[in-house]
């Protein structure tokens, strides 16, 4: 998966949640911001360590997780 290079788990960060690279930004944070109506540009402006590729990786990861539940 393309997101495997971006989405990581570190037991010492964010209680072992899936995070973007080695940042303290969890995938669930990104999905929540998008769900609340924030645009990619707004998210990146507020969190300049993130890239468009990071946001797309979070969406791809979340979609795969949902597919694996069914």
């Amino acid at each position: 998966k393309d997101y495997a290079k971006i989405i990581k788990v570190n037991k010492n960060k964010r209680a072992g949640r899936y995070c973007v690279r080695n940042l303290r930004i969890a995938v669930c944070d990104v999905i929540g911001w998008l769900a609340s109506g924030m645009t990619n540009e707004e998210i990146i402006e507020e969190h300049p360590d993130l890239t468009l590729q990071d946001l797309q990786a979070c969406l791809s990861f979340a979609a795969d997780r949902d597919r694996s539940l069914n």
Side-chain angles (χ1 to χ4, degrees):
K1 307 283 180 189
D2 288 343
Y3 60 76
K5 296 174 185 164
I6 296 172
I7 306 302
K8 307 283 184 186
V9 173
N10 180 336
K11 291 183 245 179
N12 298 319
K13 289 189 179 184
R14 298 295 306 268
R17 293 180 188 261
Y18 288 95
C19 290
V20 178
R21 291 182 275 116
N22 202 28
L23 304 173
R24 297 186 66 82
I25 300 173
V27 171
C28 62
D29 295 332
V30 174
I31 299 302
W33 297 329
L34 291 167
S36 74
M38 288 181 77
T39 65
N40 292 337
E41 293 77 17
E42 289 170 333
I43 294 169
I44 291 169
E45 185 175 316
E46 281 193 30
H47 305 278
D49 289 334
L50 292 175
T51 66
L52 182 58
Q53 184 181 12
D54 294 333
L55 303 184
Q56 291 170 335
C58 289
L59 289 171
S60 183
F61 175 80
D64 279 354
R65 292 279 298 219
D66 183 61
R67 276 192 283 277
S68 72
L69 296 174
N70 297 318

